């Protein structure tokens, strides 16, 4: 049976980095890479071999052309995208000593958030086994509420996956906290980082958070823990998966790549397309181990550059 596509709904972001070359006095040289959490996830899914459709409002500006070329070159289906007149979202990144990125955003009135009901209706992924979304698209008006409505409609035939990807510089974490119960009622899969957890539920352990989110409606919760691996909880039954040991270049796109690896593996197992009724803990563990390898490779190279399937051989299974 042919693998059903996964649809990814959300934003593209131009990630700008200070160039390694010295600019002339009085200038700032920036190297711009295509990014954005949902777009990164779509790229990673397609490179791993899952049929992937990106649903996004992509600007007609120079950054938008970069996004389209990057997504298409990775094998992503762009038939669900909108050619938007608004400008692209821009993020300027700096790094700490551990390769962790800190961002300043330029995101007011940009293309990504301006979804209309008609645009989303036209992009509806009726043949998709899974609809994944998250990040800023879920919390920035006017498109945020319309995306939630699209998730509700998608549940008729698709598994729903959400990655909150909290961005406190742009949106108060209190907004995410207020909406999280609604997302838990819509989602079958919730993937987030330990940093997200601390912003959403300060001082709460991953185990307690999983229990709270299960009660709110999510069957599968996965919390990535950086170098400590990932904790997955399926209806309260938990598994801890270690992270491969690698030399970290930076962590940009690692969480997005993990999500892609998780969904790719669940898709190959035939578990997407409903409410995860047949999913087992062993299958969750297998999917998380694979996802950890995908994320590790992404951390080993610069920028949000997830691996193609054949490149995962460089992340030794012995390092898991």
């Amino acid at each position: 049976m042919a693998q059903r596509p996964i649809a990814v709904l959300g934003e593209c972001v131009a990630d700008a980095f200070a160039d390694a070359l010295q600019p002339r006095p009085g200038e700032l040289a920036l190297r711009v890479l295509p990014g954005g959490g949902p777009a990164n996830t779509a790229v990673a899914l397609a490179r791993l071999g899952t049929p992937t459709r990106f649903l996004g409002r992509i600007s007609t500006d120079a950054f938008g052309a970069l996004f389209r070329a990057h997504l298409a070159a990775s094998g992503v289906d762009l038939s669900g995208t909108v050619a938007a007149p608004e400008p692209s979202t821009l993020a300027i990144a700096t790094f700490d000593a551990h390769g962790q990125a800190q961002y300043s955003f330029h995101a007011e009135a940009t293309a990504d958030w301006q979804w209309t009901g008609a645009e989303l209706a036209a992009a509806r992924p009726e043949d998709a086994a899974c609809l994944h979304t998250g990040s800023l698209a879920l919390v920035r008006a006017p498109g945020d509420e319309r995306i939630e409505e699209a998730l509700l409609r998608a549940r008729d035939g698709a598994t729903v996956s959400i990655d909150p990807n909290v961005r406190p510089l742009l949106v108060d974490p209190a907004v995410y906290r207020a909406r999280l119960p609604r997302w838990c009622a819509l989602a079958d899969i919730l993937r987030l980082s330990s940093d997200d957890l601390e912003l959403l539920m300060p001082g709460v352990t991953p185990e307690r958070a999983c229990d709270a989110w299960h009660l709110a409606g999510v069957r599968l919760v996965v919390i990535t823990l950086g170098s400590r691996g990932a904790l997955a909880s399926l209806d309260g039954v938990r598994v801890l998966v270690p992270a491969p040991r690698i030399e970290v270049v930076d962590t940009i796109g690692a969480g997005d790549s993990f999500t892609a690896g998780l969904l790719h593996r669940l898709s190959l197992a035939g578990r997407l397309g409903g409410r995860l009724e047949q999913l087992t803990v062993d299958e969750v563990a297998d999917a998380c181990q694979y996802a950890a390898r995908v994320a590790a490779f992404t951390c080993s190279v610069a920028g949000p550059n997830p691996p193609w399937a054949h490149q995962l051989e460089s992340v030794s299974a012995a390092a898991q």
Side-chain angles (χ1 to χ4, degrees), residues 1 12 69 89 109 118-119 190 195 217 219 223-224 252 267-268 293:
M1 182 181 295
C12 297
T89 303
E119 287 171 343
L190 181 70
D195 289 340
R219 292 207 59 202
I223 302 175
T224 49
I252 295 176
S267 174
L268 289 179
R293 293 178 62 200

Side-chain angles (χ1 to χ4, degrees), residues 2 32-33 58 81 89 108 127 156 164 206 238 242 249-250 270 301 311 318:
V32 179
L33 298 177
I58 301 180
T81 60
T89 303
E108 290 305 315
D127 60 339
D156 288 344
R238 301 201 239 281
V249 174
D250 67 52
V301 298
Q311 291 177 305

Side-chain angles (χ1 to χ4, degrees), residues 74-91:
S74 296
V76 177
D77 176 359
L78 298 178
S79 63
T81 60
V82 174
E86 301 88 1
S88 296
T89 303
L90 174 66

Side-chain angles (χ1 to χ4, degrees), residues 3-314:
Q3 192 178 358
R4 291 172 62 190
I6 290 178
V8 181
L9 170 58
E11 69 266 21
C12 297
V13 176
D15 287 330
F17 309 89
D19 198 287
L21 299 176
Q22 288 295 321
R24 290 178 295 184
E27 294 182 349
L28 174 65
L30 295 175
R31 181 169 57 99
V32 179
L33 298 177
N40 291 341
T41 300
V43 165
L45 275 166
R47 290 184 178 185
L48 293 173
T50 291
T52 305
R53 184 176 304 125
F54 185 67
L55 313 180
R57 301 184 87 259
I58 301 180
S59 177
T60 54
D61 65 14
F63 295 133
L66 176 67
F67 301 149
R68 286 183 179 275
H70 177 59
L71 288 159
S74 296
V76 177
D77 176 359
L78 298 178
S79 63
T81 60
V82 174
E86 301 88 1
S88 296
T89 303
L90 174 66
I92 299 178
T94 57
F95 296 97
D96 63 19
H98 305 289
Q100 194 79 26
Q102 304 294 323
Y103 293 93
S104 63
F105 285 94
H106 304 266
E108 290 305 315
T110 52
D112 302 283
W113 335 123
Q114 313 305 318
W115 283 104
T116 67
E119 287 171 343
L120 277 171
R124 184 177 180 183
E126 297 184 2
D127 60 339
C130 177
L131 176 58
H132 171 75
T133 190
S135 197
L136 292 166
L138 268 177
V139 289
R140 291 189 67 87
D144 49 356
E145 293 184 0
R146 292 164 185 160
I147 288 176
E148 287 190 11
E149 292 168 1
L151 295 178
L152 180 60
R153 293 193 300 269
R155 283 177 58 87
D156 288 344
T159 301
V160 172
S161 167
I162 291 179
D163 173 4
N165 198 9
V166 182
R167 297 294 190 188
L169 292 178
L170 272 179
V171 178
D172 189 330
V175 174
Y176 293 84
R177 291 187 207 111
R179 299 186 184 190
L180 191 56
R182 296 207 304 269
W183 299 341
C184 288
L186 290 168
D188 303 289
I189 301 169
L190 181 70
R191 203 292 304 175
L192 68 164
S193 69
S194 54
D195 289 340
D196 292 331
L197 173 59
E198 184 59 28
L199 289 165
L200 293 170
M201 301 177 73
V204 174
T205 66
E207 292 79 8
R208 285 181 56 200
C210 288
D211 290 340
W213 294 328
H214 288 319
L215 285 173
V218 183
R219 292 207 59 202
L220 176 60
V221 179
V222 182
I223 302 175
T224 49
L225 308 170
S227 62
R228 294 182 293 132
L231 174 71
S233 182
L234 177 64
D235 295 330
V237 180
R238 301 201 239 281
V239 59
L240 183 63
V241 174
R245 288 179 299 227
I246 49 120
E247 189 73 29
V248 175
V249 174
D250 67 52
T251 61
I252 295 176
D256 309 320
S257 292
F258 186 100
T259 298
L262 176 72
L263 296 179
H264 171 74
R265 203 70 163 185
L266 294 179
S267 174
L268 289 179
R271 295 303 182 229
L272 300 181
R275 306 283 75 83
L276 308 178
E277 293 91 346
Q278 305 302 317
L279 184 62
T280 68
V281 173
D282 286 344
E283 289 170 331
V284 169
D286 171 76
C288 286
Q289 288 164 359
Y290 181 84
R293 293 178 62 200
V294 178
F297 183 97
T298 304
C299 290
S300 72
V301 298
N305 189 18
W308 297 84
H310 69 272
Q311 291 177 305
L312 285 182
E313 297 305 317
S314 67

